[in-house]
Each structure stands twice: as structure tokens, then as C-alpha cells.
Amino acid sequence: MKMWKRCLAAAFLLCVMTLCVLPVQAEDSASAGGNMQLADEAGLLTEQEAKEINRQLAQLEESTGWDFMALTTDDAGGKDATAYAETWFDDYTSKDDGIICAIDMDNREIVVRAFGEARYYITDKRTERILDAGYEEVSEEEYAATLQAMLGEVEEAYLNEDASKNHLYDEDTGEITRHPKKKSITLSEILIALGLAVFAGGATVSGIFGKYRLKFGGYQYPIEKNGSVKLARREDRLVNSFVTKRHIPKPQDSGGGGSRSTTHTGAGGRSSSGGSRGF
């Protein structure tokens, strides 16, 4: 009986220890392999500010399906601000598509980098708008407002940018990449459409001939006997002519589409668009 009680107590103790360890393991695995939305390494944010930014990041992820990250650091480990942000995104993301906004107090720069599909939204013009929004706030040492303003401009780009018209320009190779959603008609699609058109046309013609019982060569119209042609002579004289010239100005680029995203291969080996600005 005593042996049975000891075994039961040992089993209960083992269950309690397992329940205590599992949450820690789950938290560690999320930090190592999942999407860490906000990392305030520099300690610039209050608890309430961090909650607001996390809520903003979660909303962006839900609406886009991408990974979104916000980062502050006071030690870039010898890297420049862009390389540090790119490496952070590579280490803690779980998707190919996403955006990171960062405040680097070590290099004194704000950064935005876009990966995957997001590169077609964060064009060179959009990058400047994002950095403009963040620069005004970071200059006043309003660090939470800096990240919120940058993320707000990122959301604006997602909602209003026509990504299908934009292209990527790789500054490392000079290669231009069009948006992958623009598909050209393949040869097989042309042949299928042509075959359907011939079939539909043939069926229509056959139906008409069958309905009216038309026969080729069954009736001839003697046009040389029943037809007549009368020609009248007429002369037109050019008295005067005028030529009017008008300058047509070229349309101004409104930034609504057809924009370029300058990309490069970053520290983690992935292509990204975006930029940085010192403060």
C-alpha cells in the first residue's frame, strides 16, 4: 500500500513539473521561430505604449496576411541600422512577406524594410513618406509616436498603392522585376480559345444553312444585264489652308501607380525594399 501511494505521489509531482515547464518551452520556441511583433531593446516605450503598438501590428497582420515587426535598439552589434533590422526580421519572422519598422539609437537612424510581396507596396516614394512621418516624431523624442506614425504610413501604402503596376529595381544587379500577378496569355490558352471560336462559328453557320436550306450555285444574279453605273465629273479646288499648332504638356506623375521599389539583397540573404534616415 505504501509503495502504491509513493508511486501516485511521484506521478502527481511529475505532472506538476511538466505543466510548469511547458509554458516556458512554448515561450522560448515562439521567440526563436515565430513572429516577435515588438521588441523594445532600447527601453523607449512604456507598457501602455507597447500594448498600443502591438495592437496596431496585429491589425496590420490580420488585414494583410504578412508579418509585421517594430523594433528599438541601443546596440546594433557593429552593424548599420539597415543590416540590423534586416537580420532581426530574418531571425524572428515566420513568413516570406512582411515589414519591419525600427528605431536604432546606436546608429541614430529610423528604418523601414519590406520583404516579399510587401516590396511592391513600399516603393521609393512610399519609403520617403514613411520616413518623413517617423522623422518628425523621433526628432521630438516621441518614440512610440514614431513607430505608430511609420506603421500608419505603411497601412496607407497597403490600402492605396496599386502594387500590380509597380516594379522592383535591384540596385545590386540592375534587374527589373514586374509584379508576378501580371500574366500573359499562353499558347495553349490561345489555341483553346481559337478552337472554341471555330466550333461556335461552325455551329452557327450550319444552323443557318440547315434552317433556310441554302445551296451553293443554285441561284445566279445577272448583274451585267440588270445593273447600271452612272459616273458624274466633279472638281474640288483648294483655295486656302491653315495649320494650327498647340503645345500639349506631359501629364504630371501623381504617384498613383507605376512606381519603382529599389531593392537589395540584405544581410540575411533576402531581397527587401525601403530605406533609413538619420536623426
Side-chain angles (χ1 to χ4, degrees):
M1 181 65 68
K2 291 183 178 180
M3 182 63 67
W4 180 81
K5 290 183 178 179
R6 289 178 182 176
C7 291
L8 184 61
F12 177 75
L13 182 61
L14 181 62
C15 290
V16 172
M17 292 176 62
T18 302
L19 291 174
C20 291
V21 172
L22 280 177
V24 177
Q25 291 178 338
E27 183 176 352
D28 291 341
S29 63
S31 300
N35 172 16
M36 182 183 292
Q37 290 180 324
L38 173 62
D40 184 21
E41 291 189 313
L44 303 178
L45 309 174
T46 66
E47 183 178 352
Q48 183 60 35
E49 289 171 340
K51 287 181 179 179
E52 292 296 325
I53 294 172
N54 266 321
R55 186 178 297 111
Q56 191 175 7
L57 292 168
Q59 290 174 350
L60 285 168
E61 289 191 347
E62 183 178 357
S63 61
T64 63
W66 305 339
D67 274 350
F68 277 86
M69 299 182 185
L71 168 68
T72 74
T73 185
D74 54 5
D75 183 8
K79 299 178 181 178
D80 61 52
T82 297
Y84 190 82
E86 290 170 339
T87 302
W88 186 273
F89 188 88
D90 288 332
D91 288 345
Y92 294 102
T93 189
S94 59
K95 296 181 180 178
D96 294 331
D97 308 319
I99 296 174
I100 183 170
C101 294
I103 302 175
D104 187 338
M105 301 299 292
D106 189 4
N107 292 292
R108 303 293 295 181
E109 290 185 43
I110 52 175
V111 186
V112 58
R113 300 306 300 180
F115 301 80
E117 174 71 12
R119 295 173 299 169
Y120 292 95
Y121 291 83
I122 307 305
T123 63
D124 296 348
K125 293 179 181 179
R126 291 289 180 179
T127 295
E128 290 304 312
R129 295 183 190 180
I130 295 168
L131 296 176
D132 286 343
Y135 181 78
E136 183 176 351
E137 302 294 348
V138 78
S139 298
E140 301 294 330
E141 298 184 355
E142 298 289 341
Y143 301 115
T146 299
L147 293 174
Q148 289 173 322
M150 294 175 71
L151 291 170
E153 284 296 327
V154 167
E155 183 177 19
E156 181 75 12
Y158 176 75
L159 293 175
N160 297 315
E161 194 68 34
D162 189 352
S164 63
K165 295 181 179 179
N166 297 338
H167 65 275
L168 309 180
Y169 170 73
D170 191 325
E171 63 180 2
D172 299 326
T173 64
E175 181 182 0
I176 294 177
T177 305
R178 301 291 175 183
H179 194 276
K181 290 185 178 180
K182 285 189 173 182
K183 295 177 64 179
S184 59
I185 300 176
T186 63
L187 179 59
S188 60
E189 290 172 338
I190 294 175
L191 293 176
I192 291 173
L194 183 61
L196 291 174
V198 171
F199 175 78
T204 302
V205 171
S206 299
I208 293 173
F209 276 103
K211 181 177 181 180
Y212 295 100
R213 299 178 181 177
L214 297 178
K215 298 180 179 180
F216 291 105
Y219 175 75
Q220 294 182 352
Y221 182 81
I223 190 171
E224 66 278 1
K225 294 181 179 180
N226 299 330
S228 64
V229 177
K230 293 182 180 181
L231 301 177
R233 184 174 180 179
R234 181 176 178 180
E235 293 183 358
D236 292 326
R237 294 183 181 181
L238 177 63
V239 177
N240 220 334
S241 64
F242 299 92
V243 178
T244 302
K245 294 183 178 180
R246 183 168 65 90
H247 175 68
I248 301 176
K250 294 182 178 180
Q252 298 295 322
D253 184 9
S254 61
S259 298
R260 182 179 79 171
S261 296
T262 301
T263 66
H264 78 154
T265 301
R270 283 205 271 184
S271 172
S272 65
S273 66
S276 64
R277 185 180 297 175
F279 60 88

